[in-house]
Amino acid sequence: MKEHVEIPLREKNIVLIGFMGVGKTTIGQLVAKKLYRDFIDVDQEIEKKQNMPISLIFQKFGEDYFRKIEKEYIVDICTNTRLKVVSLGGGAYLQEEVRNACLSNCIVFLLDLSWDSWKDRMPLLVENRPLLKEKSMEEIEKLFIKRQNAYSLHNSKVSTNNLDPETVADEIVNSVKLTWSIYEPNQ
Ligand SMILES: Nc1ncnc2c1ncn2[C@@H]1O[C@H](COP(=O)(O)OP(=O)(O)O)[C@@H](O)[C@H]1O
Ligand SMILES: O=C(O)C1=C[C@@H](OP(=O)(O)O)[C@@H](O)[C@H](O)C1
Ligand SMILES: [Mg+2]
């Protein structure tokens, strides 16, 4: 059993979670830039490694295969890297091993968007999200509600309703810097 090494707070990866389309990829990139950190988008890294888009991975190998590689990659990043900003795919946090790796080693931010606001954004999302293509609005709402339990296990929550990406990114950065100054002052 690998011994758990406590990572200094200021070195912990910042992980963004939340339903598909809430802005994890967009806002994660902005947060990384503002904190002078490397940015990792798990979906983008998986697409690079698999040399195909997520939608084709689902089509060719199925969702279970995607979830396996998604989990392995996230657990590796959480346990073996520091000082990054990491945006998960919307379904990753449903896996307990992913949640445990994130909560044990990282600072986990939930990006929260109301269902009504999400519906307005949906037309932007369907193109490259296979799970949206197959479902009615009612089925997607059920998925949205069903996932809130897992998303509730976070360190901090930021509402993104009616806020532009820059404003949300600033809120996350200010929150992180305040946490650092309180729990690891004088650095
Ligand atoms: N705060 C925001 N306000 C308006 N549109 C947003 C916001 N954040 C993201 N978007 C848009 O919503 C879509 C999904 O954003 P993305 O970052 O891919 O979300 P996720 O990674 O959570 O699925 C993109 O078209 C993006 O430009
Ligand atoms: O919610 C999900 O199950 C998924 C969300 C997507 O990522 P985004 O949340 O960045 O869209 C991507 O991982 C895949 O389509 C599955
Ligand atoms: Mg994304």
Side-chain angles (χ1 to χ4, degrees), residues 18-21 24-25 43 54 58 63 66-67 70 88-91 128-131 147 151:
F19 198 67
M20 53 187 116
K24 302 180 296 296
T25 299
D43 283 342
I54 301 278
F58 270 68
E63 183 175 354
F66 173 75
R67 296 303 175 196
E70 181 181 51
L88 305 193
N128 52 14
R129 291 171 174 82
L131 292 180
R147 288 185 170 183
Y151 294 150

Side-chain angles (χ1 to χ4, degrees), residues 37-104:
R37 289 190 169 197
D38 290 337
F39 174 60
I40 294 178
D41 185 83
V42 173
D43 283 342
Q44 290 170 6
E45 291 307 310
I46 291 173
E47 288 181 330
K48 274 188 229 165
K49 286 173 184 286
Q50 300 289 317
N51 198 26
M52 67 178 81
I54 301 278
S55 49
L56 196 53
I57 297 172
F58 270 68
Q59 190 185 321
K60 280 174 77 95
F61 305 108
E63 183 175 354
D64 289 351
Y65 173 78
F66 173 75
R67 296 303 175 196
K68 178 175 178 292
I69 56 176
E70 181 181 51
K71 176 184 67 181
E72 288 166 357
Y73 184 65
I74 295 167
V75 169
D76 177 43
I77 290 294
C78 288
T79 46
N80 298 311
T81 73
R82 300 182 181 193
L83 292 166
K84 304 206 184 298
V85 175
V86 187
S87 289
L88 305 193
Y93 213 64
L94 278 288
Q95 299 193 72
E96 189 177 15
E97 271 185 80
V98 168
R99 289 198 298 272
N100 291 342
C102 291
L103 290 168
S104 303

Side-chain angles (χ1 to χ4, degrees), residues 53 55 121-133:
S55 49
R121 197 175 290 178
M122 183 177 170
L124 297 171
L125 310 176
V126 187
E127 186 50 40
N128 52 14
R129 291 171 174 82
L131 292 180
L132 296 182
K133 286 200 170 115

